[in-house]
Structure formats: C-alpha cells, structure tokens
Amino acid sequence: MPIYEFVCEKCGKEFERIVFGSDTDKVKCPACSSEETRKLFSVFASTGTDKALASSCGSGQSGGFS
C-alpha cells in the first residue's frame, strides 16, 4: 500500500494518503475538502547513508561507494 504526498491547490495544505491503484485523482484535501489536489514528488528516506552519499558527491573525497 503506497503512501503518497499531496498538496491542495486551493488552500496549500500538504498531506499524505494511502492510495490504491489509480485513485490518486480522487483524493480530497483534509483541511478544506477540495478535490483540487496534486500528487507531490516524494523522496525516499534511507537511514545511515546520508554521510557517505554527501561525501562522495563531487567533493573529490573518497566516500563509502566505489
């Protein structure tokens, strides 16, 4: 069951919803009940890798990845 992030085009509220299949166009805003919502691009979180990724991105230093 995927959890998606949405923003309401009417009031600007950002919220999350569990959405099944292609029901992303049927999501209502919890603050104002508007159906004018848009799915946001979500970034997946990984614990324990942020320092290795940060040090290996264009800094010329050897990071945790080869």
Side-chain angles (χ1 to χ4, degrees):
M1 293 183 286
I3 298 175
Y4 293 104
E5 295 177 7
F6 293 87
V7 64
C8 178
E9 297 289 345
K10 186 175 178 183
C11 72
K13 168 94 173 155
E14 291 187 13
F15 58 97
E16 296 176 343
R17 282 287 178 271
I18 296 175
V19 180
F20 301 98
S22 61
D23 290 342
T24 58
D25 29 329
K26 300 176 185 176
V27 176
K28 289 185 180 182
C29 175
C32 71
S33 299
S34 172
E35 293 182 356
E36 297 177 37
T37 59
R38 169 175 55 89
K39 188 167 65 167
L40 294 175
F41 179 75
S42 299
V43 177
F44 293 99
S46 283
T47 59
T49 60
D50 57 319
K51 289 183 182 178
L53 290 174
S55 65
S56 64
C57 293
S59 65
Q61 297 176 352
S62 177
F65 300 101
S66 298

